[in-house]
Amino acid sequence: MNTKLTIVFFTLVTFLSFSRLNAQITERERPKEWNNLVQGGRFMDRFLPIPTIGNLTKDTWGADDVVPRFVDNGIEDADWSYWGGNSILGDDGNYHLFVCRWAEDSPKGHMQWSESIVVHAVSGTSYGPYKVVETIGPGHNPEVFQLADGRYIIYVIDGHYIADELKGPWIHGKFDFDKRDRRIIEGLSNLSFAQREDGSYLMVCRGGGIWLSKNGLSTYYQVSNERVYPPVDGRFEDPLVWRTNVQYHMIVNDWLGRIAWYLRSKDGISWKVEPGEAYMPGLAKYEDGTVVDWFKYERIKVLQDKYGRATQANFAVIDTIKWDDKSNDNHSSKNITIPLTVGKLLSVQGKNKIDKETKSIRVKVEAEEGFNPQSDIDLSSLRFGASEEVNFGRGAEVIGTENYKGDLIITFGLEHGLTDLNFAGKMLGKTKKGNLLFAYCRLPEINYKEPYLSARKPEFITDENGFVAKVEMQNFGQVASKPSTLKIQYIIDDKTIEIASARIPKIDPFEKMEIKLNVKSVVNGQIEKAIQLISISDGKQQVVYKESSKSKE
């Protein structure tokens, strides 16, 4: 090859590689106020150095940015590319990881992921190394969870496996989904699940729609009218949802921007976006100071303790652009584990509602193994109140303390910032060793188990009563609903026109009921698509169905 041809060839290769890189990266502009977040204001601040298990080695696959590393963290080997997966603690005292993989020498390289196989791996520690003990079957992006009756489910795209025990045998099946006349946002893939207090299950799909099932295996019903993700132009995927003893949590990844967002919720249905990155490249640092720079972090999962608190994150990571991971090359992917700072156990003392007139708040910080609140906390660093305040270094300061058995009761003063818009308080500060300390707590007079009415699209018919609307109403809350009022409204040219209303009796959780409403008037003699249904109970309004003329099935 002559010199000119050589230059042209390498220029073309560089251009194609740069084009592929640009196809997976864009620089997302952060809100300016994020610059004012203090340590602990971002979820990303909770990631800790990775324990140095095994030996640091250069004798392994990977781009220069990920070598040397401790290969015993998570799961990897030269023969397989691993992706996704989460681990849970079994009754045998071991940690069980369900992850998918495909042969590294597959003709399609990383693009072989669509034919991946789910395997079961086991380790004596949560960080690894994990060793494969059985092959489950075909599937991608697995997530394992346990039903209230003790059985285990491994979700995979387009199906699931179920077993009575972690050791199997695993039987393949399919979930049943009912979109309930709503648009499915970006399809039913990359699902994540969280058990509610009553044993029912909440699911979030890739597009950010919320679905609910009575027991986690029965039909999943869509209840959201639109996605719950942050109102930004993100390319969202890989949602993760989990529940603690205080609230629900969600993380969703903007794969193009290579940053993730963190959200919280009282009920798992309505969500509040928190400021700051949940994670982004650059997390993998070992306790000995070694740093590895994985090109992408995806499919985050968390290991939970008995209170539901996240103690560790699992990630699928790759050392290069996915399309550049070829058959029999030096690139591949694996599952890694990163420990997290665990929130402390915190509770408000007293039952009085907290508002702007509240002059002091007493909270109890519980002692746990390895943590003595009476001696380990830097009290001068603490702030308590609304997350909107403490995440930015504001909030109520400590004005007093008292020992209570092995626990510590702390009294905080004014400037807590808590209002009716808050469903949890946050405490943020440091230990005397300078480590991050945080905790969330429930607030008095907040109802954490409420009914949740949701309707299907009205059916308009003519019967002996004239022009009527038939509406199927269902309660997806964890308690029975009170008698309420249902209204049907048009939204036309930004004007709301009520056309029907009726009383709704009490409805038990997951119970269905058909409501008939006499229609008062019809706009232009026909039913328009821009319609919404409102339920009213105790003076509170809730949109139970909404359809826009711009909606697409």
Side-chain angles (χ1 to χ4, degrees), residues 163 168 195 245 277 451:
Q195 188 182 86
N245 61 325
E277 300 90 345

Side-chain angles (χ1 to χ4, degrees), residues 2 55 74 77 92 106 127 146 164 181 200 202 213 230 234 266 282 290 306 320-321 328 337 341 406 456 465 490 546:
N2 62 40
N55 298 316
D77 58 62
D92 58 0
S106 299
Y127 304 115
Q146 189 173 20
D164 293 334
D181 305 319
S200 62
L202 176 146
S213 165
K266 180 185 78 169
T290 301
K306 64 181 180 179
T320 187
I321 306 169
N328 280 322
T337 66
T341 300
R456 288 186 180 271
N465 296 316
Y490 285 135
K546 185 174 183 178

Side-chain angles (χ1 to χ4, degrees), residues 305-307 309 342-346 365-373 376 406-407:
D305 68 7
K306 64 181 180 179
Y307 298 103
R309 298 174 298 182
V342 179
K344 304 305 180 185
L345 297 175
L346 187 70
V365 188
E366 293 186 27
E368 299 182 72
E369 183 178 354
F371 171 65
N372 183 344
D376 293 347
D407 303 328

Side-chain angles (χ1 to χ4, degrees), residues 234-252:
R235 302 299 182 267
F236 293 116
E237 67 173 6
D238 298 350
L240 165 70
V241 64
W242 74 100
R243 181 180 64 86
T244 66
N245 61 325
V246 175
Q247 60 193 336
Y248 293 80
H249 306 257
M250 185 188 298
I251 290 177
V252 61

Side-chain angles (χ1 to χ4, degrees), residues 142-177:
E143 178 176 292
V144 64
F145 60 93
Q146 189 173 20
L147 301 175
D149 65 11
R151 290 181 295 172
Y152 292 90
I153 297 280
I154 305 172
Y155 158 77
V156 293
I157 292 178
D158 293 331
H160 64 71
Y161 294 92
I162 186 168
D164 293 334
E165 302 176 285
L166 286 172
K167 64 182 180 181
W170 296 93
I171 300 172
H172 186 266
K174 292 272 191 177
F175 285 117
D176 180 43
F177 300 104

